[in-house]
Amino acid sequence: MNVLEKRIVKDGIVKEGNVLKVDSFLNHQMDIKLFDEMGREFKKRFAGKPINKILTIEASGIGIACVVAQHFDVPVVFAKKSKSINLEGEMYVAEVESFTHKCKNNVIVAQKFLSPEDHVLIIDDFLANGCALQGLIQIVQSAGATVEGIGIAVEKGFQSGGRIIRNLGIQLESLAIVESMDAKTGEIIFREQQSE
Amino acid sequence: MNVLEKRIVKDGIVKEGNVLKVDSFLNHQMDIKLFDEMGREFKKRFAGKPINKILTIEASGIGIACVVAQHFDVPVVFAKKSKSINLEGEMYVAEVESFTHKCKNNVIVAQKFLSPEDHVLIIDDFLANGCALQGLIQIVQSAGATVEGIGIAVEKGFQSGGRIIRNLGIQLESLAIVESMDAKTGEIIFREQQSE
């Protein structure tokens, strides 16, 4: 198990309805040293890619993205979520559906921060059905920029997002892929990955 | 001028209505190296304080807080904004008014992440009227924890938030305090601070 998987086993909480709570270290309270180790691992997995920008989405992707960015020495852009579009200037907008919150949101990035010269690494904390990620991919493509890869902390391997995105031919690296979990016993089974 | 003030002069844009746009390096696209320098400066200004946790608020405070946290070697907790309270478990909640978005929001932190043993540094990107910060202070106090200080990137010195918070006896450090700005000429005047 890698450092994130070990931490999930130690501090993650499995709830009914396939909910995995990792809010004590990943997306409410944030363990910055863990993020730093995740950044080191992403740098290894995306070695050789000409990444010049990281794109993430508010709110819980931002902390991970900023610490990961130090390993790539690049700026971070975070997409904003909004029901309406009230930011000024020219914007890239993608509509995404949130299953957690059961609503549609616009995902928005100012056009001036993405251009055809950009080689983008997308970073987020969770991947389940992949709707938010597909919105981000769409925005990068609208800008004529290149998605060099996607780095995720926790993928729910039993939901379809990972498969859909890998089928697009994009390098998707999830540090922990949960194959199954059991709210009664608290057991979490991860997909085997090549050892680090 | 310090590194942030210089950057504001170089890349900040003054708009009518006392709006200062710093979205190319602070709160939409984020310059992580700049954040690192800001972290070094905050560490200097809060030297000797027994800070064991950083508290910030989504979304644009998170990136700064996470990079600053590396200089203090502490975890970050970010408060969530929500119109309704739908997070599970016991929560600290403060109601704050947003002048930018002209609405009331709840600011929410899970109780398990703040306790009387905590010595908290609050970090945010902007301080204007101080409503969000007062909500964060209220939450720290609800937990019986101590506010050791507040670190802000950009304070609008001509609005009342800074004065209100300093009058509470809290050490408030803003790296750039804008005394006035002129949308026609683009000129920005900063409050004199002790040189670094």
Side-chain angles (χ1 to χ4, degrees):
Chain A
M1 282 198 289
N2 66 34
V3 61
L4 178 62
E5 290 168 329
K6 281 178 195 155
R7 186 61 174 273
I8 292 168
V9 168
K10 180 170 166 277
D11 292 327
I13 297 166
V14 182
K15 300 260 185 186
E16 291 296 340
N18 274 328
V19 172
L20 176 60
K21 281 187 80 77
V22 290
D23 61 351
S24 67
F25 56 97
L26 203 72
N27 53 16
H28 187 8
Q29 183 166 253
M30 298 179 286
D31 181 335
I32 309 301
K33 281 185 186 166
L34 174 68
F35 291 4
D36 191 47
E37 296 211 50
M38 288 162 53
R40 191 169 298 122
E41 178 64 19
F42 282 133
K43 178 67 185 170
K44 208 191 293 177
R45 295 196 188 192
F46 294 105
K49 294 257 181 170
I51 291 158
N52 73 329
K53 195 162 277 185
I54 285 177
L55 178 65
T56 187
I57 182 162
E58 66 177 9
S60 46
I62 297 174
I64 300 170
C66 285
V67 177
V68 169
Q70 295 178 314
H71 291 268
F72 291 86
D73 197 15
V74 299
V76 175
V77 174
F78 71 88
K80 304 188 182 200
K81 285 180 205 162
S82 178
K83 291 207 192 316
S84 59
I85 304 164
N86 57 3
L87 304 173
E88 67 177 88
E90 298 294 305
M91 300 288 159
Y92 297 115
V93 181
E95 193 181 73
V96 304
E97 213 160 333
S98 165
F99 280 71
T100 320
H101 301 290
K102 293 182 180 55
C103 64
K104 283 188 183 179
N105 270 307
N106 289 306
V107 173
I108 303 166
V109 173
Q111 291 193 3
K112 60 183 170 177
F113 300 133
L114 280 177
S115 75
E117 288 74 43
D118 283 324
H119 293 260
V120 178
L121 174 62
I122 296 173
I123 294 283
D124 206 0
D125 58 337
F126 257 94
L127 168 57
N129 59 68
C131 286
L133 274 189
Q134 286 175 277
L136 293 177
I137 293 167
Q138 190 185 317
I139 280 175
V140 174
Q141 290 172 340
S142 302
T146 307
V147 178
E148 290 290 346
I150 299 176
I152 298 292
V154 185
E155 177 181 337
K156 287 179 166 174
F158 50 85
Q159 287 189 240
S160 59
R163 187 167 34 78
I164 291 168
I165 285 164
R166 290 186 180 92
N167 281 344
L168 296 173
I170 294 172
Q171 184 185 353
L172 167 62
E173 298 286 346
S174 301
L175 300 185
I177 303 176
V178 176
E179 284 292 16
S180 66
M181 49 191 185
D182 186 325
K184 287 197 188 69
T185 64
E187 193 187 26
I188 301 168
I189 296 171
F190 295 105
R191 188 178 301 172
E192 283 285 332
Q193 300 199 52
Q194 290 185 317
S195 62
E196 290 166 33
Chain B
M1 283 198 288
N2 65 34
V3 61
L4 180 61
E5 290 168 329
K6 281 179 196 155
R7 187 61 175 274
I8 292 168
V9 168
K10 180 170 167 277
D11 292 327
I13 297 168
V14 182
K15 300 261 184 185
E16 291 295 340
N18 273 328
V19 172
L20 176 60
K21 281 188 79 81
V22 290
D23 61 351
S24 66
F25 57 96
L26 203 72
N27 53 17
H28 186 8
Q29 183 165 254
M30 298 178 287
D31 181 335
I32 309 302
K33 281 185 187 165
L34 174 67
F35 290 5
D36 191 47
E37 295 210 49
M38 289 162 52
R40 191 168 298 121
E41 178 63 18
F42 283 132
K43 178 67 185 171
K44 209 191 293 176
R45 295 196 187 190
F46 295 104
K49 295 258 181 169
I51 291 158
N52 73 328
K53 196 163 276 185
I54 285 177
L55 177 66
T56 187
I57 183 164
E58 65 178 9
S60 45
I62 298 174
I64 300 170
C66 285
V67 176
V68 169
Q70 296 178 314
H71 291 268
F72 291 87
D73 196 15
V74 299
V76 175
V77 174
F78 71 88
K80 304 187 182 201
K81 285 180 205 161
S82 178
K83 292 207 192 312
S84 59
I85 304 164
N86 57 3
L87 303 173
E88 66 176 272
E90 298 295 304
M91 299 289 157
Y92 297 115
V93 181
E95 192 181 73
V96 304
E97 214 160 330
S98 164
F99 281 70
T100 320
H101 300 291
K102 294 180 179 56
C103 63
K104 284 188 181 180
N105 270 308
N106 289 307
V107 173
I108 303 165
V109 174
Q111 291 193 3
K112 60 183 170 178
F113 300 133
L114 280 177
S115 76
E117 288 73 44
D118 283 323
H119 293 261
V120 178
L121 173 63
I122 296 173
I123 293 284
D124 207 0
D125 58 337
F126 257 92
L127 167 57
N129 59 68
C131 286
L133 274 189
Q134 287 176 279
L136 293 178
I137 293 167
Q138 191 185 316
I139 281 175
V140 174
Q141 291 172 340
S142 302
T146 307
V147 178
E148 290 289 344
I150 299 176
I152 299 292
V154 185
E155 176 181 338
K156 287 178 167 174
F158 50 86
Q159 288 189 240
S160 59
R163 188 167 34 78
I164 291 168
I165 286 164
R166 289 186 181 94
N167 282 344
L168 296 173
I170 294 173
Q171 183 185 354
L172 167 63
E173 300 285 346
S174 302
L175 300 184
I177 303 176
V178 176
E179 285 292 17
S180 67
M181 48 191 185
D182 187 326
K184 288 198 187 68
T185 63
E187 194 188 25
I188 301 168
I189 295 171
F190 296 106
R191 188 178 300 171
E192 283 284 333
Q193 299 198 53
Q194 291 186 316
S195 63
E196 291 165 30

mmCIF file of all heavy atoms in Angstrom, chain B residues 1-2 4-5 8 41-42 45 152-155 166 172-179 190-196:
data_model
loop_
_atom_site.group_PDB
_atom_site.id
_atom_site.type_symbol
_atom_site.label_atom_id
_atom_site.label_comp_id
_atom_site.label_asym_id
_atom_site.label_seq_id
_atom_site.Cartn_x
_atom_site.Cartn_y
_atom_site.Cartn_z
ATOM 1 N N MET B 1 8.768 48.457 -1.045
ATOM 2 C CA MET B 1 7.619 47.567 -1.267
ATOM 3 C C MET B 1 8.048 46.110 -1.113
ATOM 4 O O MET B 1 9.131 45.739 -1.545
ATOM 5 C CB MET B 1 7.050 47.774 -2.685
ATOM 6 C CG MET B 1 6.208 49.034 -2.808
ATOM 7 S SD MET B 1 5.155 48.997 -4.266
ATOM 8 C CE MET B 1 6.385 49.212 -5.555
ATOM 9 N N ASN B 2 7.169 45.297 -0.502
ATOM 10 C CA ASN B 2 7.478 43.872 -0.409
ATOM 11 C C ASN B 2 7.056 43.155 -1.697
ATOM 12 O O ASN B 2 6.496 43.765 -2.626
ATOM 13 C CB ASN B 2 6.848 43.243 0.853
ATOM 14 C CG ASN B 2 5.330 43.242 0.829
ATOM 15 O OD1 ASN B 2 4.699 43.104 -0.229
ATOM 16 N ND2 ASN B 2 4.713 43.390 1.990
ATOM 17 N N LEU B 4 4.743 41.053 -2.497
ATOM 18 C CA LEU B 4 3.331 41.061 -2.878
ATOM 19 C C LEU B 4 2.908 42.431 -3.393
ATOM 20 O O LEU B 4 2.216 42.547 -4.415
ATOM 21 C CB LEU B 4 2.445 40.643 -1.695
ATOM 22 C CG LEU B 4 0.937 40.631 -1.996
ATOM 23 C CD1 LEU B 4 0.580 39.656 -3.112
ATOM 24 C CD2 LEU B 4 0.131 40.316 -0.737
ATOM 25 N N GLU B 5 3.344 43.486 -2.715
ATOM 26 C CA GLU B 5 3.006 44.848 -3.179
ATOM 27 C C GLU B 5 3.546 45.080 -4.598
ATOM 28 O O GLU B 5 2.852 45.626 -5.452
ATOM 29 C CB GLU B 5 3.578 45.885 -2.208
ATOM 30 C CG GLU B 5 2.863 45.891 -0.849
ATOM 31 C CD GLU B 5 3.612 46.700 0.213
ATOM 32 O OE1 GLU B 5 4.870 46.762 0.149
ATOM 33 O OE2 GLU B 5 2.944 47.250 1.094
ATOM 34 N N ILE B 8 1.359 43.310 -7.022
ATOM 35 C CA ILE B 8 0.068 43.989 -7.216
ATOM 36 C C ILE B 8 0.241 45.174 -8.165
ATOM 37 O O ILE B 8 -0.576 45.391 -9.064
ATOM 38 C CB ILE B 8 -0.508 44.448 -5.855
ATOM 39 C CG1 ILE B 8 -0.916 43.226 -5.028
ATOM 40 C CG2 ILE B 8 -1.714 45.370 -6.056
ATOM 41 C CD1 ILE B 8 -1.219 43.535 -3.563
ATOM 42 N N GLU B 41 7.155 35.183 5.005
ATOM 43 C CA GLU B 41 6.931 36.466 5.687
ATOM 44 C C GLU B 41 5.977 36.305 6.881
ATOM 45 O O GLU B 41 6.213 36.857 7.952
ATOM 46 C CB GLU B 41 6.391 37.488 4.680
ATOM 47 C CG GLU B 41 6.056 38.844 5.256
ATOM 48 C CD GLU B 41 7.255 39.604 5.831
ATOM 49 O OE1 GLU B 41 8.406 39.258 5.492
ATOM 50 O OE2 GLU B 41 7.025 40.535 6.626
ATOM 51 N N PHE B 42 4.908 35.522 6.698
ATOM 52 C CA PHE B 42 3.984 35.292 7.822
ATOM 53 C C PHE B 42 4.708 34.584 8.967
ATOM 54 O O PHE B 42 4.502 34.896 10.137
ATOM 55 C CB PHE B 42 2.771 34.464 7.385
ATOM 56 C CG PHE B 42 1.727 35.245 6.616
ATOM 57 C CD1 PHE B 42 1.197 34.749 5.435
ATOM 58 C CD2 PHE B 42 1.245 36.462 7.091
ATOM 59 C CE1 PHE B 42 0.224 35.450 4.732
ATOM 60 C CE2 PHE B 42 0.273 37.178 6.394
ATOM 61 C CZ PHE B 42 -0.242 36.667 5.211
ATOM 62 N N ARG B 45 6.489 37.155 10.828
ATOM 63 C CA ARG B 45 5.638 38.083 11.581
ATOM 64 C C ARG B 45 4.949 37.414 12.774
ATOM 65 O O ARG B 45 4.589 38.078 13.736
ATOM 66 C CB ARG B 45 4.585 38.706 10.654
ATOM 67 C CG ARG B 45 5.200 39.595 9.570
ATOM 68 C CD ARG B 45 4.165 40.482 8.937
ATOM 69 N NE ARG B 45 4.702 41.224 7.800
ATOM 70 C CZ ARG B 45 4.049 42.207 7.189
ATOM 71 N NH1 ARG B 45 2.836 42.557 7.595
ATOM 72 N NH2 ARG B 45 4.590 42.821 6.160
ATOM 73 N N ILE B 152 -3.317 38.056 6.251
ATOM 74 C CA ILE B 152 -4.098 38.404 5.063
ATOM 75 C C ILE B 152 -3.138 38.779 3.942
ATOM 76 O O ILE B 152 -2.097 39.391 4.191
ATOM 77 C CB ILE B 152 -5.020 39.609 5.381
ATOM 78 C CG1 ILE B 152 -6.006 39.266 6.497
ATOM 79 C CG2 ILE B 152 -5.718 40.142 4.137
ATOM 80 C CD1 ILE B 152 -7.057 38.250 6.126
ATOM 81 N N ALA B 153 -3.482 38.429 2.723
ATOM 82 C CA ALA B 153 -2.668 38.886 1.600
ATOM 83 C C ALA B 153 -2.943 40.375 1.357
ATOM 84 O O ALA B 153 -2.069 41.211 1.555
ATOM 85 C CB ALA B 153 -2.967 38.056 0.356
ATOM 86 N N VAL B 154 -4.159 40.716 0.967
ATOM 87 C CA VAL B 154 -4.473 42.087 0.569
ATOM 88 C C VAL B 154 -5.581 42.655 1.448
ATOM 89 O O VAL B 154 -6.689 42.113 1.474
ATOM 90 C CB VAL B 154 -4.931 42.150 -0.901
ATOM 91 C CG1 VAL B 154 -5.145 43.611 -1.322
ATOM 92 C CG2 VAL B 154 -3.946 41.453 -1.816
ATOM 93 N N GLU B 155 -5.279 43.731 2.150
ATOM 94 C CA GLU B 155 -6.298 44.422 2.953
ATOM 95 C C GLU B 155 -6.673 45.724 2.265
ATOM 96 O O GLU B 155 -5.815 46.478 1.816
ATOM 97 C CB GLU B 155 -5.725 44.724 4.350
ATOM 98 C CG GLU B 155 -6.683 45.525 5.234
ATOM 99 C CD GLU B 155 -6.097 45.845 6.617
ATOM 100 O OE1 GLU B 155 -5.169 45.133 7.060
ATOM 101 O OE2 GLU B 155 -6.552 46.823 7.236
ATOM 102 N N ARG B 166 -8.384 44.748 14.480
ATOM 103 C CA ARG B 166 -7.268 45.188 15.342
ATOM 104 C C ARG B 166 -7.811 45.679 16.680
ATOM 105 O O ARG B 166 -7.187 45.492 17.717
ATOM 106 C CB ARG B 166 -6.437 46.259 14.634
ATOM 107 C CG ARG B 166 -5.613 45.674 13.469
ATOM 108 C CD ARG B 166 -4.654 46.669 12.811
ATOM 109 N NE ARG B 166 -3.943 46.017 11.709
ATOM 110 C CZ ARG B 166 -4.323 46.056 10.429
ATOM 111 N NH1 ARG B 166 -5.416 46.734 10.082
ATOM 112 N NH2 ARG B 166 -3.643 45.398 9.507
ATOM 113 N N LEU B 172 -3.205 41.237 13.581
ATOM 114 C CA LEU B 172 -3.618 41.109 12.179
ATOM 115 C C LEU B 172 -2.477 41.603 11.309
ATOM 116 O O LEU B 172 -2.061 42.755 11.432
ATOM 117 C CB LEU B 172 -4.875 41.954 11.938
ATOM 118 C CG LEU B 172 -5.275 42.204 10.482
ATOM 119 C CD1 LEU B 172 -5.612 40.906 9.764
ATOM 120 C CD2 LEU B 172 -6.472 43.151 10.428
ATOM 121 N N GLU B 173 -1.980 40.728 10.450
ATOM 122 C CA GLU B 173 -0.883 41.089 9.552
ATOM 123 C C GLU B 173 -1.346 40.973 8.109
ATOM 124 O O GLU B 173 -1.670 39.888 7.640
ATOM 125 C CB GLU B 173 0.317 40.159 9.780
ATOM 126 C CG GLU B 173 0.893 40.185 11.185
ATOM 127 C CD GLU B 173 1.717 41.447 11.456
ATOM 128 O OE1 GLU B 173 2.055 42.169 10.497
ATOM 129 O OE2 GLU B 173 2.008 41.699 12.640
ATOM 130 N N SER B 174 -1.404 42.111 7.429
ATOM 131 C CA SER B 174 -1.764 42.109 6.014
ATOM 132 C C SER B 174 -0.520 42.465 5.219
ATOM 133 O O SER B 174 0.126 43.478 5.489
ATOM 134 C CB SER B 174 -2.864 43.142 5.744
ATOM 135 O OG SER B 174 -3.996 42.852 6.538
ATOM 136 N N LEU B 175 -0.173 41.618 4.248
ATOM 137 C CA LEU B 175 1.093 41.831 3.545
ATOM 138 C C LEU B 175 1.035 43.070 2.658
ATOM 139 O O LEU B 175 2.046 43.732 2.435
ATOM 140 C CB LEU B 175 1.466 40.586 2.736
ATOM 141 C CG LEU B 175 1.635 39.322 3.589
ATOM 142 C CD1 LEU B 175 2.100 38.161 2.738
ATOM 143 C CD2 LEU B 175 2.605 39.555 4.744
ATOM 144 N N ALA B 176 -0.150 43.372 2.144
ATOM 145 C CA ALA B 176 -0.321 44.603 1.357
ATOM 146 C C ALA B 176 -1.601 45.278 1.842
ATOM 147 O O ALA B 176 -2.661 44.664 1.843
ATOM 148 C CB ALA B 176 -0.432 44.269 -0.130
ATOM 149 N N ILE B 177 -1.464 46.527 2.285
ATOM 150 C CA ILE B 177 -2.634 47.289 2.723
ATOM 151 C C ILE B 177 -2.832 48.431 1.731
ATOM 152 O O ILE B 177 -2.003 49.336 1.629
ATOM 153 C CB ILE B 177 -2.449 47.848 4.144
ATOM 154 C CG1 ILE B 177 -2.152 46.709 5.128
ATOM 155 C CG2 ILE B 177 -3.704 48.622 4.571
ATOM 156 C CD1 ILE B 177 -1.863 47.167 6.561
ATOM 157 N N VAL B 178 -3.918 48.343 0.977
ATOM 158 C CA VAL B 178 -4.195 49.362 -0.041
ATOM 159 C C VAL B 178 -4.889 50.538 0.644
ATOM 160 O O VAL B 178 -5.979 50.383 1.199
ATOM 161 C CB VAL B 178 -5.085 48.786 -1.156
ATOM 162 C CG1 VAL B 178 -5.453 49.868 -2.168
ATOM 163 C CG2 VAL B 178 -4.395 47.614 -1.839
ATOM 164 N N GLU B 179 -4.243 51.710 0.618
ATOM 165 C CA GLU B 179 -4.859 52.902 1.209
ATOM 166 C C GLU B 179 -5.836 53.539 0.234
ATOM 167 O O GLU B 179 -6.888 54.029 0.610
ATOM 168 C CB GLU B 179 -3.789 53.931 1.583
ATOM 169 C CG GLU B 179 -3.007 53.581 2.826
ATOM 170 C CD GLU B 179 -3.827 53.644 4.118
ATOM 171 O OE1 GLU B 179 -5.068 53.653 4.071
ATOM 172 O OE2 GLU B 179 -3.197 53.650 5.190
ATOM 173 N N PHE B 190 -0.084 52.149 -1.148
ATOM 174 C CA PHE B 190 -0.076 51.214 -0.019
ATOM 175 C C PHE B 190 0.225 51.944 1.282
ATOM 176 O O PHE B 190 0.955 52.943 1.290
ATOM 177 C CB PHE B 190 0.994 50.133 -0.222
ATOM 178 C CG PHE B 190 0.741 49.251 -1.416
ATOM 179 C CD1 PHE B 190 1.496 49.391 -2.572
ATOM 180 C CD2 PHE B 190 -0.252 48.278 -1.382
ATOM 181 C CE1 PHE B 190 1.258 48.590 -3.678
ATOM 182 C CE2 PHE B 190 -0.487 47.473 -2.486
ATOM 183 C CZ PHE B 190 0.269 47.633 -3.638
ATOM 184 N N ARG B 191 -0.286 51.426 2.379
ATOM 185 C CA ARG B 191 0.086 51.936 3.689
ATOM 186 C C ARG B 191 1.533 51.527 3.972
ATOM 187 O O ARG B 191 1.935 50.407 3.673
ATOM 188 C CB ARG B 191 -0.842 51.347 4.764
ATOM 189 C CG ARG B 191 -0.656 51.970 6.150
ATOM 190 C CD ARG B 191 -1.632 51.368 7.163
ATOM 191 N NE ARG B 191 -3.027 51.584 6.753
ATOM 192 C CZ ARG B 191 -4.079 51.025 7.361
ATOM 193 N NH1 ARG B 191 -3.898 50.211 8.392
ATOM 194 N NH2 ARG B 191 -5.309 51.250 6.931
ATOM 195 N N GLU B 192 2.291 52.472 4.515
ATOM 196 C CA GLU B 192 3.686 52.175 4.895
ATOM 197 C C GLU B 192 3.704 51.061 5.938
ATOM 198 O O GLU B 192 2.940 51.094 6.907
ATOM 199 C CB GLU B 192 4.338 53.416 5.533
ATOM 200 C CG GLU B 192 4.768 54.492 4.559
ATOM 201 C CD GLU B 192 6.056 54.136 3.814
ATOM 202 O OE1 GLU B 192 6.876 53.364 4.350
ATOM 203 O OE2 GLU B 192 6.206 54.624 2.672
ATOM 204 N N GLN B 193 4.573 50.102 5.762
ATOM 205 C CA GLN B 193 4.754 49.084 6.785
ATOM 206 C C GLN B 193 6.238 49.026 7.121
ATOM 207 O O GLN B 193 7.073 49.461 6.334
ATOM 208 C CB GLN B 193 4.281 47.714 6.302
ATOM 209 C CG GLN B 193 2.804 47.687 5.937
ATOM 210 C CD GLN B 193 2.251 46.266 5.896
ATOM 211 O OE1 GLN B 193 2.382 45.515 6.834
ATOM 212 N NE2 GLN B 193 1.624 45.917 4.794
ATOM 213 N N GLN B 194 6.549 48.494 8.283
ATOM 214 C CA GLN B 194 7.959 48.297 8.619
ATOM 215 C C GLN B 194 8.593 47.435 7.539
ATOM 216 O O GLN B 194 8.007 46.450 7.103
ATOM 217 C CB GLN B 194 8.087 47.584 9.973
ATOM 218 C CG GLN B 194 7.654 48.467 11.128
ATOM 219 C CD GLN B 194 7.916 47.802 12.464
ATOM 220 O OE1 GLN B 194 7.635 46.630 12.615
ATOM 221 N NE2 GLN B 194 8.448 48.539 13.411
ATOM 222 N N SER B 195 9.778 47.834 7.114
ATOM 223 C CA SER B 195 10.432 47.058 6.054
ATOM 224 C C SER B 195 10.790 45.679 6.587
ATOM 225 O O SER B 195 11.020 45.499 7.777
ATOM 226 C CB SER B 195 11.674 47.780 5.573
ATOM 227 O OG SER B 195 12.590 47.880 6.634
ATOM 228 N N GLU B 196 10.813 44.715 5.651
ATOM 229 C CA GLU B 196 11.029 43.322 6.044
ATOM 230 C C GLU B 196 12.494 43.064 6.376
ATOM 231 O O GLU B 196 13.365 43.552 5.713
ATOM 232 C CB GLU B 196 10.601 42.403 4.892
ATOM 233 C CG GLU B 196 9.109 42.427 4.708
ATOM 234 C CD GLU B 196 8.699 41.819 3.370
ATOM 235 O OE1 GLU B 196 9.404 40.939 2.872
ATOM 236 O OE2 GLU B 196 7.686 42.251 2.834
#
